[in-house]
Amino acid sequence: MLGKTYPGQDCSAARALEIVGERWTLLILRDAMFRGYVRYSQFTESLGIATNILARRLEGLVAAGLMEIRTPMSRSDHVEYHLTRKGLDLKPVIVALTQWGDAWLGPGPVTFRDAATGAEVSLGFQTADGRAPEVGAVVARRRTPPTI
Amino acid sequence: MLGKTYPGQDCSAARALEIVGERWTLLILRDAMFRGYVRYSQFTESLGIATNILARRLEGLVAAGLMEIRTPMSRSDHVEYHLTRKGLDLKPVIVALTQWGDAWLGPGPVTFRDAATGAEVSLGFQTADGRAPEVGAVVARRRTPPTI
DNA sequence: CCGTATCCATTCCGATACTG
DNA sequence: CAGTATCGGAATGGATACGG
């Protein structure tokens, strides 16, 4: 995870996958983001992951700045793993995977909603003027370098 | 890939990751989606992936229905791997990873645009009434089962 | 009970050589 | 060009033992 696992790839998606592309990592983040899990035992019970692998993944997530270790003042006998803003910002990745799974593998057990209003939330493409292009219409273009 | 790699996970994201969560898979799809690559040699040159691994991944993507093999009538001496609609629909996953990488690891070489208008395209959360909730406000709720 | 560390069998990956 | 075969090394999974 720390050594470049996709060498020679000048691409943000590849660099992101060097951090979150390993087995189990995105499911750990899912549990933290949408189930509020913070403790080691919660992750093991939820995932059935081997304990040595979980320890390694949590260590990597903390090292990468996606999670941080907190020790609650009340219960100082254990630590908690909390998402940072950097980790929380991966929510669209999880939602995108979920929406694809719902659409192509059959609906799963959850939908996404706005916590304040309860309105259903979806993830989609949008332009500055408020249009929603089709998937097929979205293309990648080389970024115009800022002319300093 | 075909044997359940995340057993006991009743979750669309986990099921999606059983198909696209292996090393290299999402980068192969990125090349197919945004660079138009269709041939074996294009993927090897782009990724630097071992040939046996690429063969295994392509085979898996075809088996899962994300790609299909075409033999162009003009050049029947080679095959091409084309995305299906199912594969193309993973575009939001790639874009979500790219946007996160741009934001947290430094901007990458590309942006996403509407092919028709050239307008910049972003991926974001939206509600039915057109609002855009913050990441922190998006929560998962158990799907209300259809009352048949 | 919480979490970590170690050992070992199995699977996966990567580099190279090879075939049509 | 498009793969397949092989083999050494790395990652993973599971059990178990260890420390607080």
Side-chain angles (χ1 to χ4, degrees):
Chain A
M1 170 135 51
L2 292 171
K4 285 205 119 7
T5 61
Y6 294 118
Q9 295 289 318
D10 180 20
C11 163
S12 289
R15 285 183 292 154
L17 286 172
E18 289 182 341
I19 295 177
V20 300
E22 286 180 308
R23 186 161 162 72
W24 296 113
T25 302
L26 283 171
L27 294 184
I28 294 170
L29 293 172
R30 173 206 65 182
D31 278 354
M33 274 188 282
F34 291 114
R35 303 183 183 181
Y37 292 170
V38 292
R39 293 232 313 276
Y40 194 93
S41 59
Q42 292 178 307
F43 295 113
T44 54
E45 284 171 30
S46 164
L47 299 171
I49 184 178
T51 59
N52 53 354
I53 303 296
L54 175 60
R56 196 183 306 172
R57 291 292 181 272
L58 290 173
E59 182 186 20
L61 288 168
V62 170
L66 277 65
M67 297 188 115
E68 62 184 8
I69 296 181
R70 287 192 209 159
T71 307
M73 55 253 78
S74 52
R75 299 281 313 284
S76 62
D77 62 332
H78 71 278
V79 299
E80 295 181 349
Y81 296 87
H82 287 261
L83 285 172
T84 62
R85 175 65 201 227
K86 186 176 181 180
L88 195 68
D89 261 2
L90 278 164
K91 205 176 268 194
V93 174
I94 307 287
V95 174
L97 284 166
T98 303
Q99 285 189 171
W100 184 84
D102 285 344
W104 287 100
L105 309 174
V110 303
T111 62
F112 299 101
R113 298 186 173 272
D114 183 335
T117 69
E120 189 148 358
V121 170
S122 68
L123 183 73
F125 292 117
Q126 47 206 3
T127 61
D129 56 333
R131 288 177 307 102
E134 294 294 313
V135 251
V138 177
V139 298
R141 292 279 169 78
R142 185 151 282 277
R143 188 191 296 276
T144 56
T147 54
I148 305 270
Chain B
M1 172 133 51
L2 291 171
K4 285 205 120 9
T5 62
Y6 293 118
Q9 294 290 319
D10 178 20
C11 164
S12 289
R15 285 182 293 154
L17 286 172
E18 289 182 341
I19 296 176
V20 301
E22 285 179 309
R23 186 160 162 72
W24 296 114
T25 302
L26 284 171
L27 294 184
I28 293 169
L29 294 172
R30 173 206 64 182
D31 278 355
M33 275 188 280
F34 291 114
R35 303 182 182 178
Y37 293 169
V38 292
R39 294 232 312 276
Y40 194 92
S41 59
Q42 293 179 306
F43 294 114
T44 54
E45 285 170 29
S46 164
L47 299 171
I49 184 178
T51 58
N52 53 352
I53 303 296
L54 176 60
R56 197 183 305 171
R57 292 292 181 272
L58 290 173
E59 182 186 21
L61 287 169
V62 170
L66 276 65
M67 297 187 115
E68 62 185 6
I69 296 181
R70 286 191 210 158
T71 306
M73 56 256 73
S74 53
R75 302 280 313 284
S76 62
D77 63 331
H78 72 277
V79 298
E80 294 181 349
Y81 295 87
H82 287 261
L83 285 172
T84 62
R85 175 65 201 227
K86 186 176 180 180
L88 195 67
D89 260 1
L90 278 163
K91 204 175 271 196
V93 174
I94 307 287
V95 174
L97 284 166
T98 303
Q99 286 189 169
W100 184 83
D102 285 344
W104 288 100
L105 309 174
V110 302
T111 61
F112 299 101
R113 297 184 175 273
D114 183 334
T117 68
E120 189 150 359
V121 170
S122 68
L123 183 75
F125 292 116
Q126 48 206 4
T127 60
D129 56 333
R131 289 177 306 102
E134 294 294 313
V135 248
V138 177
V139 298
R141 291 278 170 79
R142 186 151 282 278
R143 188 190 298 277
T144 56
T147 54
I148 306 275

